[in-house]
Amino acid sequence: MGNPIKVDSHVHLYRTAEEGQDDKDSYEVWEYGACDQVSMSDLLGTVEDVLNSMQASSVDKAIALNLYMADWACSKYVSRLPSELSEQERRKVISEFKSQQPEALKNFNRWGCRVSRDHPEIVAFVCADVNVLTPEQGASHVRDMVENEGAGGVKLHGAAQGYFMDDKRLWAIYDACRELGVPVIGHSGPDTGGRGFAEPRAFAETLKGFPEVNFVLAHMGGGSWRQTQEIADNHPNAFFDCCEIIEWINSELGPTDRELAKLISDVGPHRVMMGSDFPWYDMDHTTGRILELPLLSDEQKQGILGGNAVRILGLK
């Protein structure tokens, strides 16, 4: 296959090792059911970790998906409050913390863009959350990050942030992405409450309403992967990464390697990108998984490893 360009289209960055460890400790991958063959990474997602992993795996570009989850941040903050605080004091400090969340989200995005400026091989996608910023504030922030800070697109996580992917509050953000010509990468998969916030079918109205925007359904639908073909068939602006799901091959609820390869083949291998979900999984291991998939040609795998991402995400 030679030396094709490699793009990891799904990486998470943390400002400190402690922050990365805290997030990994508090997040359980549950949607694929049991599997005793999953290879998890020991790394913690610092900038140094990402750069070293890219070098070791010959990855040319990494898409850093900024994800700030205000509800989780608040839960962690509350759990660490001193027990001797009175109820009135607790309410006061919690209220103050919540009032700081809009600026905390913006600051995390600014940090990610600074990393990208310092290391152009890392492309920052900024987080949006309609439960933290109003639609107008969110769209304005996205415009600022793309036009002035070099952001390459937007990251959404409805399952964790608690909104449907067709929530009309997102329309202003989608419209900004259309005007700016940048893609949206959205987590796709079930949520713990079974609401369907980010299952593939939850993207349908959005995909129809914004045909000019490239939407990437991360994880190919994750635990809801059986919905993915329907969305691909009906919406040509739907694209996918095989991040995480490829590490859960042969799990209780995940696909077999042949089922995943057939899904990729059926939706169109040119619409699928490699993603590692680093630091949950290692870049080189995910790359190896793609190369081992049956049914797909070497040329198709080469596109998945990087060429597709250059086109879908508008990379330079």
Side-chain angles (χ1 to χ4, degrees), residues 61-110:
K61 292 270 188 183
I63 311 304
L65 305 183
N66 272 17
L67 179 57
Y68 185 83
M69 292 180 286
D71 285 347
W72 282 22
C74 186
S75 295
K76 292 176 185 177
Y77 176 76
V78 170
S79 71
R80 295 165 182 167
L81 287 176
S83 58
E84 60 269 19
L85 287 179
S86 69
E87 187 59 33
Q88 183 177 2
E89 290 171 327
R90 283 175 62 85
R91 285 198 299 268
K92 182 175 185 295
V93 296
I94 292 171
S95 177
E96 289 174 351
F97 183 83
K98 288 182 176 180
S99 71
Q100 296 165 3
Q101 293 313 289
E103 197 59 31
L105 182 151
K106 291 180 181 179
N107 284 337
F108 190 55
N109 283 335
R110 293 181 186 119

Side-chain angles (χ1 to χ4, degrees), residues 42-257:
D42 293 326
L43 297 174
L44 299 174
T46 64
V47 175
E48 182 180 12
D49 281 346
V50 171
L51 292 172
N52 288 341
S53 293
M54 290 176 68
Q55 183 175 15
S57 307
S58 300
V59 168
D60 302 291
K61 292 270 188 183
I63 311 304
L65 305 183
N66 272 17
L67 179 57
Y68 185 83
M69 292 180 286
D71 285 347
W72 282 22
C74 186
S75 295
K76 292 176 185 177
Y77 176 76
V78 170
S79 71
R80 295 165 182 167
L81 287 176
S83 58
E84 60 269 19
L85 287 179
S86 69
E87 187 59 33
Q88 183 177 2
E89 290 171 327
R90 283 175 62 85
R91 285 198 299 268
K92 182 175 185 295
V93 296
I94 292 171
S95 177
E96 289 174 351
F97 183 83
K98 288 182 176 180
S99 71
Q100 296 165 3
Q101 293 313 289
E103 197 59 31
L105 182 151
K106 291 180 181 179
N107 284 337
F108 190 55
N109 283 335
R110 293 181 186 119
W111 169 79
C113 289
R114 287 197 300 272
V115 170
S116 186
R117 287 198 299 273
D118 292 341
H119 305 283
E121 63 270 44
I122 298 175
V123 180
F125 272 48
V126 293
C127 173
D129 186 344
V130 292
N131 293 321
V132 176
L133 299 173
T134 67
E136 294 75 18
Q137 290 170 338
S140 176
H141 178 58
V142 166
R143 287 193 179 92
D144 179 36
M145 293 295 97
V146 172
E147 293 177 339
N148 301 316
E149 302 292 340
V154 170
K155 162 67 174 178
L156 299 170
H157 199 315
Q161 294 168 324
Y163 52 77
F164 287 94
M165 296 306 297
D166 60 2
D167 190 318
K168 290 301 188 293
R169 293 176 298 168
L170 289 165
W171 252 228
I173 291 170
Y174 294 150
D175 200 46
C177 291
R178 179 186 58 78
E179 293 171 2
L180 295 163
V182 298
V184 174
I185 297 180
H187 172 92
S188 68
D191 55 273
T192 54
R195 299 282 304 278
F197 286 130
E199 293 179 4
R201 287 173 184 150
F203 287 77
E205 187 175 350
T206 295
L207 288 161
K208 182 179 178 180
F210 295 88
E212 309 93 338
V213 178
N214 285 358
F215 287 89
V216 178
L217 280 66
H219 317 295
M220 295 201 76
S224 305
W225 60 278
R226 296 183 188 278
Q227 298 179 19
T228 297
Q229 185 67 56
E230 171 191 337
I231 294 300
D233 288 346
N234 292 311
H235 304 285
N237 57 325
F239 299 90
F240 310 90
D241 73 41
C242 55
C243 148
E244 189 174 72
I245 192 171
I246 198 167
E247 296 289 352
W248 287 80
I249 284 172
N250 297 321
S251 60
E252 184 181 9
L253 301 176
T256 65
D257 58 350

